[in-house]
Amino acid sequence: MKTLVSLCKRRGFIFQSSEIYGGLNSCWDYGPLGVQLKKNIERYWWDTMTLRDDIEGVDASILMHPRVWEASGHVEGFTDPLIDCKKCKARFRADALSEACCPEKPSKHPGECGGELTEARAFNLMFKTYMGPVETEASRIFLRPETAQGSYVNFLNVQTTMRKKTPFGIAQVGKAFRNEITPGNFIFRTREFEQMEMQFFVNPKEDMKWFDYWKEERIKWHKSLGIHPQKLRFYEHGKDQLAHYAKQAFDVQYEFPFGWSELEGIHNRTDYDLSRHEEFSGKKLQYLDDDTKEKYIPYVIETAVGLNRTLLAVLCDAYHEEEVKDEKRVVLKIKPQFAPVQIAFFPLSKKDDLMNLTHNIKNRFSKKYFSQFDVAGSIGKRYRRQDEAGTPYCVTIDFDSLEDKKVTVRDRDSMKQDRISIDQLENYFEDKFK
Ligand code: ATP
């Protein structure tokens, strides 16, 4: 992971938050390439979901009525068991004590520094803040720990305004906040992160059918990001691991450098959430099927994936080190469709006519493809920089280009070079980015 973290910094993907102040633990800022990659993944998810006729999008507020979190069960149940060391004041998750190290003596387990460990106590993971100028219990609200509740409380708004019939879904992308006790592994577990969640409302009689459907759709989606299929697998939650709302749950896991870990959860949440909101709000949240006259609270099949974790999986999967002419080549083999820079344009030298021709060619492409212009250093050095950024194609404009109207296109993965007519470039890339 250290190698990836340093590549991310060097190439402008991800920086430590507030770095000039010494950084803020487990908070990260996305640089120019990181934010573009993140947006490309987010856009792909959003299109996958909302270009379907049976899914609508929403963008709910991060701050919600505090009763929402009572109804959802988060006030009572969204807790981790926490243990403190009285000597070094470190805090550990009780369920992960055997894997934890004492921060004072990292070779030792918690408590082996001679400190006494407290009993486990429940620690609520929701961030609290106050709305308005007075900081009282009545003005206390939470930063949402998941986007899902924003979709549930809007269930009827969406259903009636869009005249939806079950089965239909509500998709949402947005920030969520959890005061994790043990954040870490770079952007894998942070306290502020982004989720891409879709709630699919179905007739309770058809829940298993739709659960199986979404399970398969979602692993296909991860594969379509270009992630190696052998690095993806399902993990089924046993009865004792199920969240309070779930009847059945599968995780899509990726084999990260630190082991198999969750990327996405697919949950059958039953009618738990809508029933609880009915109970707590006093508003009916039932669905009436006009054709069959059936009246019911729909069951929800949820697909919940972390945007940052998906980006981390894409980066880990794309990272390759190769030996080229006795030198190490570091290359990010990101699927061209998602690369933050898709085509880089290099004039061989800074001579005016080469610079002008390069700018002219680049301008033809920069509306359609994420493009970059680079004139600094040797062509070899420029290739290496673009390899590390994951740029699939580099176009070099040399002195011959002025005469033969052709340029050299170099492929990131094979490192093969093609000599292509300038007027054929559109067709050439059309084919490559298909
Ligand atoms: P975990 O078991 O890893 O804490 P979870 O089962 O609590 O995750 P869900 O509540 O199902 O996670 O959230 C859906 C998705 O949101 C997760 O699969 C993950 O990709 C992402 N996610 C959850 N917590 C975090 C976090 N602290 N940092 C980054 N992403 C997260």
Side-chain angles (χ1 to χ4, degrees):
M1 284 303 284
K2 263 197 191 145
T3 334
L4 189 69
V5 176
S6 93
L7 170 77
C8 283
K9 176 165 185 195
R10 189 163 75 240
R11 287 288 155 244
F13 281 91
I14 299 167
F15 310 119
Q16 172 83 66
S17 157
S18 323
E19 192 180 357
I20 59 169
Y21 287 96
L24 182 63
N25 185 24
S26 99
C27 295
W28 302 93
D29 295 345
Y30 290 76
L33 297 198
V35 69
Q36 193 57 58
L37 177 58
K38 187 150 70 72
K39 282 191 184 295
N40 293 349
I41 297 171
E42 178 188 332
R43 162 72 80 85
Y44 179 59
W45 182 89
W46 186 253
D47 287 350
T48 306
M49 291 297 177
T50 62
L51 294 182
R52 297 169 55 117
D53 289 339
D54 56 358
I55 297 181
E56 302 289 340
V58 296
D59 182 13
S61 166
I62 287 175
L63 303 175
M64 300 181 75
H65 195 291
R67 291 278 284 166
V68 167
W69 306 110
E70 288 171 34
S72 69
H74 283 82
V75 169
E76 204 184 323
F78 194 53
T79 55
D80 272 346
L82 187 76
I83 283 179
D84 289 293
C85 172
K86 288 189 180 165
K87 182 164 172 245
C88 65
K89 309 286 178 222
R91 294 191 149 170
F92 308 98
R93 265 172 65 169
D95 53 344
L97 206 58
S98 58
E99 298 131 51
C101 320
C102 168
E104 282 204 346
K105 297 190 174 161
S107 62
K108 305 226 177 248
H109 286 302
E112 288 177 359
C113 61
E116 188 192 336
L117 297 178
T118 62
E119 289 291 311
R121 65 193 166 84
F123 170 75
N124 195 296
L125 299 184
M126 283 197 292
F127 274 96
K128 298 161 198 70
T129 186
Y130 297 93
M131 188 121 128
V134 189
E135 297 190 4
T136 62
E137 193 65 16
S139 64
R140 192 186 67 174
I141 52 166
F142 302 101
L143 303 188
R144 67 178 176 198
E146 62 178 24
T147 63
Q149 300 302 326
S151 298
Y152 301 140
V153 298
N154 280 299
F155 162 69
L156 273 190
N157 284 337
V158 174
Q159 193 258 319
T160 52
T161 55
M162 297 292 110
R163 291 175 288 113
K164 294 308 253 194
K165 286 182 175 299
T166 58
F168 76 92
I170 301 182
Q172 186 169 190
V173 180
K175 290 242 169 168
F177 302 82
R178 296 181 187 179
N179 201 359
E180 301 274 5
I181 301 167
T182 45
N185 283 326
F186 195 24
I187 54 169
F188 178 82
R189 187 180 301 286
T190 50
R191 295 186 172 114
E192 172 183 345
F193 54 97
E194 278 165 277
Q195 292 186 311
M196 306 187 286
E197 298 196 302
M198 195 280 296
Q199 318 300 321
F200 204 68
F201 301 91
V202 304
N203 186 319
K205 290 182 202 146
E206 297 190 330
D207 65 330
M208 296 315 289
K209 176 179 113 187
W210 286 109
F211 185 84
D212 292 343
Y213 170 84
W214 279 110
K215 209 181 117 205
E216 293 313 317
E217 283 299 300
R218 294 308 301 149
I219 199 150
K220 266 196 253 162
W221 185 85
H222 288 281
K223 289 178 189 164
S224 70
L225 288 171
I227 294 178
H228 289 95
Q230 70 273 22
K231 292 232 165 196
L232 290 165
R233 72 175 188 194
F234 283 121
Y235 169 81
E236 183 172 13
H237 285 227
K239 288 270 170 282
D240 52 331
Q241 294 169 298
L242 287 175
H244 59 277
Y245 52 75
K247 173 173 159 189
Q248 199 183 8
F250 273 82
D251 291 342
V252 176
Q253 293 187 331
Y254 175 75
E255 192 177 15
F256 286 98
F258 45 86
W260 287 97
S261 308
E262 172 178 342
L263 272 184
E264 169 152 7
I266 298 131
H267 312 121
N268 180 347
R269 295 180 71 131
T270 68
D271 59 0
Y272 177 83
D273 300 274
L274 290 183
S275 302
R276 294 274 292 189
H277 285 305
E278 236 192 37
E279 183 188 333
F280 279 69
S281 69
K283 299 273 179 333
K284 282 266 170 258
L285 293 176
Q286 293 197 341
Y287 171 81
L288 171 68
D289 189 317
D290 288 334
D291 303 327
T292 63
K293 304 292 172 222
E294 247 184 309
K295 209 174 186 189
Y296 54 83
I297 294 180
Y299 269 30
V300 171
I301 309 301
E302 173 187 59
T303 71
V305 58
L307 175 53
N308 319 78
R309 275 192 198 176
T310 306
L311 182 139
L312 183 61
V314 166
L315 286 176
C316 290
D317 210 69
Y319 185 90
H320 286 80
E321 287 182 10
E322 296 171 354
E323 198 71 29
V324 177
K325 293 190 194 129
D326 295 334
E327 268 188 44
K328 187 169 88 174
R329 174 171 99 114
V330 172
V331 52
L332 287 185
K333 296 187 177 175
I334 302 173
K335 194 169 171 180
Q337 181 187 349
F338 302 109
V341 179
Q342 295 177 307
I343 313 176
F345 293 88
F346 306 159
L348 186 68
S349 86
K350 287 183 181 152
K351 290 256 162 38
D352 279 352
D353 39 5
L354 282 191
M355 295 283 272
N356 289 340
L357 180 59
T358 309
H359 278 301
N360 286 342
I361 299 175
K362 177 178 173 283
N363 288 344
R364 268 169 41 199
F365 289 91
S366 45
K367 283 218 170 68
K368 184 151 185 206
Y369 303 101
F370 304 112
S371 307
Q372 209 171 62
F373 180 91
D374 188 3
V375 69
S378 70
I379 293 290
K381 283 221 174 83
R382 289 184 241 174
Y383 281 156
R384 294 289 174 268
R385 274 201 293 273
Q386 296 297 338
D387 283 346
E388 288 195 345
T391 309
Y393 301 103
C394 296
V395 177
T396 303
I397 290 89
D398 56 27
F399 291 103
D400 288 343
S401 309
L402 297 169
E403 305 301 324
D404 67 3
K405 310 283 184 246
K406 289 182 176 173
V407 292
T408 303
V409 183
R410 184 258 200 183
D411 180 289
R412 174 195 68 198
D413 299 347
S414 66
M415 293 188 288
K416 285 217 180 81
Q417 304 190 357
D418 283 337
R419 193 80 185 157
I420 306 289
S421 285
I422 295 171
D423 59 8
Q424 283 304 310
L425 273 179
E426 265 93 355
N427 290 341
Y428 179 86
F429 284 124
E430 195 79 35
D431 206 40
K432 296 285 184 192
F433 284 95
K434 252 205 290 224

